[in-house]
């Protein structure tokens, strides 16, 4: 299991996804579409269209460059984004402005038709790229790499992808739903958040994105947490049973003491006198053990009946129950 003190679990998942490059062009294009949707912008400047991709993770920018080369034959480079250094963090920029490259990529991503007409929502992935299951997996990989995060599963289960618009959030949710994952959307400030909260659903999401090593790490954590929870439940149950036994024994002993003070024990049946003697001799013994000490042995229900009968007789003689010990 990885040492998450140096890298977050979210970082481990992204590290695994960064190494996963589909050999199929249609999947590569789906992942590019998701990455542009999550961290890209398309603008007109100086009469030309520019595609900018900005991320704080240089490895994500490097993968974007590799995908552009593999899927579209585009050569691009990663540079440090200007004026983005904050708290010792840098952002990295991949910029495309060559008209031929931009036009080629737009056609492949179905942002532009063969006549050169651009559609309205430029950074929203076209659903035609997501017809195949493998492409939807690649799309969700790209979405998580650019805008996703996960909490440390040792502490809590939380998986999310941040979106700039409701349309993008709905599109990501639909891709999860195609794999029977019930993702939800919540608004946080000016963003829409697609999220999963159940451990089993997050495991399935990692499987969908093909982060199989991270999946096994998460499953190991879940197993350990479930074992601990089971042990805690058992301990709590046993503690409750012990407390119940102690409180019951306290009530019974108090009733017996009252009967002895009243001199009423000699008037009771031999069975009741026997259970009085055993309870006084073994004040902490559970009901079942008292039953085995009777002659002849008595079952739990028989012992309970005798002890309840003693309490009833004591109450009929004026005994008032006292507060039980904490």
């Amino acid at each position: 299991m990885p040492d998450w003190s140096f890298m977050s679990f979210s970082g481990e998942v992204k590290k695994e996804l960064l190494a996963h490059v589909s050999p199929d062009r249609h999947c590569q294009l789906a992942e590019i579409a998701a990455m542009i949707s999550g961290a890209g912008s398309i603008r007109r400047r100086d009469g030309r269209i520019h595609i900018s991709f900005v991320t704080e993770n240089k490895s994500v920018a490097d993968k974007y460059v590799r995908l552009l080369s593999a899927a579209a034959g585009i050569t691009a480079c990663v540079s440090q984004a200007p004026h983005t250094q904050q708290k010792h963090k840098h952002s990295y920029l991949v910029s495309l402005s060559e008209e031929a490259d931009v036009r080629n990529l737009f056609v492949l991503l179905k942002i532009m038709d063969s006549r050169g007409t651009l559609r309205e929502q430029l950074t929203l992935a076209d659903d035609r790229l997501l017809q195949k299951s493998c492409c939807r997996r690649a799309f969700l990989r790209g979405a998580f790499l650019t805008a996703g995060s996960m909490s440390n599963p040792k502490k809590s289960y939380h998986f999310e992808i941040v979106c700039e618009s409701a349309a993008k959030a709905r599109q990501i949710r639909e891709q999860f739903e195609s794999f029977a994952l019930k993702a939800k959307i919540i608004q946080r400030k000016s963003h829409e958040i697609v999220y999963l909260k159940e451990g089993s659903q997050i495991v399935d999401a990692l499987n969908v994105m093909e982060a199989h090593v991270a999946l096994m790490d998460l499953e190991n954590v879940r197993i350990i947490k479930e074992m601990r929870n089971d042990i805690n439940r058992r301990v709590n149950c046993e503690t409750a049973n012990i407390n119940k036994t102690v409180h019951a024994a306290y009530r019974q002993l108090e009733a017996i003491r009252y009967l002895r003070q009243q001199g009423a024990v000699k008037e009771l049946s031999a069975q009741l006198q026997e259970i009085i003697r055993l309870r006084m001799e073994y004040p902490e013994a559970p009901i079942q053990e008292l039953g085995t000490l009777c002659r002849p042995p008595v079952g739990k229900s028989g012992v309970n009946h005798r002890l309840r009968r003693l309490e009833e007789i004591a109450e009929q003689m004026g005994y008032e129950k006292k507060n039980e010990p904490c």
Side-chain angles (χ1 to χ4, degrees), residues 56-269:
E56 292 183 355
N57 189 328
K58 186 175 182 299
S59 297
V60 172
D62 289 337
K63 183 175 186 182
Y64 175 67
V65 168
R66 291 200 308 274
L67 289 170
L68 288 175
S69 176
I74 295 173
T75 300
C77 59
V78 180
S79 61
Q80 187 174 317
H83 311 301
T84 57
Q85 185 173 354
Q86 287 185 338
K87 298 180 180 179
H88 308 292
K89 290 185 178 181
H90 297 275
S91 289
Y92 300 91
L93 168 68
V94 179
S95 181
L96 297 179
S97 57
E98 290 294 330
E99 185 175 352
D101 288 341
V102 171
R103 185 181 183 88
N104 179 33
L105 185 60
F106 275 8
V107 172
L108 290 172
L109 296 180
K110 307 191 185 305
I111 294 173
M112 177 186 289
D113 61 24
S114 58
R115 294 173 295 180
T117 304
L118 292 171
R119 65 160 194 247
E120 292 183 8
Q121 299 190 59
L122 300 182
T123 61
L124 182 67
D126 193 292
D127 287 337
R128 288 174 291 178
L129 297 172
L130 308 174
Q131 297 301 308
K132 297 183 177 181
S133 172
C134 56
C135 294
R136 294 195 293 274
R137 292 176 186 274
F139 179 84
L140 290 171
R141 273 200 302 275
F144 185 79
L145 282 172
T146 51
S149 64
M150 276 186 64
S151 62
N152 184 336
K154 290 183 178 180
K155 298 178 180 178
S156 64
Y157 298 128
H158 184 80
F159 173 107
E160 70 175 36
I161 296 176
V162 180
C163 304
E164 291 184 352
S165 70
K168 291 181 180 181
R170 286 194 299 271
Q171 185 174 56
I172 290 174
R173 181 179 63 185
E174 287 169 4
Q175 307 320 307
F176 278 124
E177 288 176 344
S178 73
F179 294 100
L181 292 172
K182 296 180 181 179
K184 297 181 180 179
I185 298 175
I186 189 173
Q187 188 171 20
R188 185 187 302 157
K189 296 183 179 179
S190 59
H191 294 89
E192 301 286 329
I193 313 298
V194 184
Y195 71 94
L196 298 165
K197 293 289 285 185
E198 294 182 14
S200 60
Q201 293 268 297
I202 296 173
V203 166
D204 290 342
L206 293 177
N207 185 48
V208 165
M209 296 189 300
E210 298 178 278
H212 299 127
V213 175
L215 182 156
M216 294 304 298
D217 291 337
L218 177 53
E219 282 286 45
N220 288 337
V221 172
R222 289 182 69 216
I223 290 169
I224 292 171
K225 287 178 73 172
E226 287 176 6
M227 286 177 61
R228 287 176 177 168
N229 290 338
D230 185 57
I231 290 170
N232 287 336
R233 282 192 295 269
R234 289 176 182 270
V235 169
N236 291 338
C237 183
E238 290 176 4
T239 300
N241 288 335
I242 291 171
N243 289 336
K244 184 178 179 181
T245 299
V246 170
H247 291 163
Y250 174 82
R251 292 196 314 270
Q252 295 154 9
L253 286 168
E254 287 298 305
I256 289 169
R257 290 191 184 99
Y258 180 81
L259 291 172
R260 294 180 68 185
Q261 289 171 2
Q262 300 299 315
V265 174
K266 294 179 181 180
E267 299 176 6
L268 300 176
S269 68

Side-chain angles (χ1 to χ4, degrees), residues 16-48:
E16 184 176 356
L17 296 180
L18 286 166
H20 191 300
V21 178
S22 173
D24 299 315
R25 189 188 195 192
H26 48 82
C27 294
Q28 295 167 0
L29 290 171
E31 190 162 355
I32 290 171
M35 296 177 86
I36 291 176
S37 180
S41 62
I42 300 174
R43 294 185 177 87
R44 290 184 181 273
R45 188 170 67 243
D46 303 326
R48 301 169 68 179

